[in-house]
Amino acid sequence: DSGVTQTPKHLITATGQRVTLRCSPRSGDLSVYWYQQSLDQGLQFLIQYYNGEERAKGNILERFSAQQFPDLHSELNLSSLELGDSALYFCASSVVSGRANTEAFFGQGTRLTVV
Amino acid sequence: AQSVTQPDIHITVSEGASLELRCNYSYGATPYLFWYVQSPGQGLQLLLKYFSGDTLVQGIKGFEAEFKRSQSSFNLRKPSVHWSDAAEYFCAVGAWQAGTALIFGKGTTLSVSS
């Protein structure tokens, strides 16, 4: 158990709909990352938050957005869903010790299926 | 451009045989390097990491990896593979700067034959 909790584990929804994925980081971790894993693209970095602020953006579509709340949990919002958005979405968290980076701990992922 | 290349998409190894999974990276800053493993239906678990110091690092489950700066490589090895090692393995690179995201390779699927 990595200590990172993602809900729900599975989600099936129709095209055009909007969903919200939730992530609770490990206790004490200030950084939260969202990744999308698909068969053709592999693991793609979407977005990172650090202590409530957006820190970095990767290959995140404009239809997708995220936020990190004061209690450090994060939500990834996916809207106007398309079939191609079907993927495994991972959240990861890491502790930031001073200025140094450390490894990221991953949740079990949310399997999104768009039908 | 920053990238990680895992040249082997799929490898099959006999149980008890040795294993080497290749990883090459391209990164502008001093790299931090990681190997993660993903079992079917599971999240990613960290096997080992390299930040600095000894270029041969030991990880969990009997895995080790060697950082070779001159070759921009960070290959994962295990002297004797067990059937339970069958999984997908990901190499990743990150920066020293706090909170930067990891860049992953596309992964290598390991099958273990008896």
Side-chain angles (χ1 to χ4, degrees), chain A residues 17-21 46 63-65 76-81 85 89 112:
Chain A
Q17 295 298 305
R18 172 189 169 93
V19 297
T20 297
L21 312 184
L46 295 178
R63 300 183 285 109
F64 296 180
S65 64
L76 179 67
N77 300 295
L78 314 176
S79 61
S80 303
L81 285 167
D85 298 326
Y89 290 84
L112 173 67

Side-chain angles (χ1 to χ4, degrees), chain A residues 1-6 23-27 29 90-94 103-109, chain B residues 36 42-46:
Chain A
D1 182 4
S2 68
V4 178
T5 303
Q6 290 186 248
C23 170
S24 294
R26 293 190 320 152
S27 177
D29 285 359
F90 283 110
C91 169
S93 72
S94 70
E103 69 267 25
F105 291 85
F106 282 76
Q108 299 273 41
Chain B
Y36 284 85
Q42 300 295 312
L44 281 81
Q45 180 184 23
L46 181 70

Side-chain angles (χ1 to χ4, degrees), chain B:
Chain B
Q2 301 166 349
S3 65
V4 176
T5 301
Q6 293 181 246
D8 304 305
I9 297 173
H10 190 189
I11 283 183
T12 299
V13 175
S14 298
E15 191 170 16
S18 64
L19 170 71
E20 182 169 30
L21 301 182
R22 296 182 291 165
C23 172
N24 292 97
Y25 67 90
S26 173
Y27 205 72
T30 301
Y32 281 175
L33 294 153
F34 307 83
W35 276 98
Y36 284 85
V37 61
Q38 183 181 25
S39 298
Q42 300 295 312
L44 281 81
Q45 180 184 23
L46 181 70
L47 283 177
L48 48 77
K49 63 192 179 205
Y50 172 76
F51 285 167
S52 64
D54 192 347
T55 56
L56 185 63
V57 293
Q58 303 296 321
I60 63 171
K61 304 184 181 186
F63 285 93
E64 67 178 26
E66 185 170 13
F67 171 58
K68 292 186 178 180
R69 185 184 299 275
S70 62
Q71 297 176 19
S72 297
S73 70
F74 188 57
N75 294 348
L76 181 72
R77 301 194 294 249
K78 186 169 184 178
S80 178
V81 167
H82 188 261
W83 65 266
S84 60
D85 294 324
E88 190 159 18
Y89 292 80
F90 293 92
C91 179
V93 65
W96 178 84
Q97 287 84 358
T100 53
L102 297 180
I103 298 170
F104 284 84
K106 289 199 179 293
T108 297
T109 300
L110 173 65
S111 297
V112 180
S113 62
S114 55

Side-chain angles (χ1 to χ4, degrees), chain A residues 1 3 5 9 11 16 26 32-34 60 79 95 105:
Chain A
D1 182 4
T5 303
K9 287 187 168 46
L11 199 48
R26 293 190 320 152
V32 171
Y33 311 80
W34 286 98
I60 188 166
S79 61
V95 66
F105 291 85

Side-chain angles (χ1 to χ4, degrees), chain A residues 10 13 42 45 47 72 89 94 109 112:
Chain A
H10 301 278
T13 190
F45 166 63
I47 196 165
L72 300 178
Y89 290 84
S94 70
L112 173 67

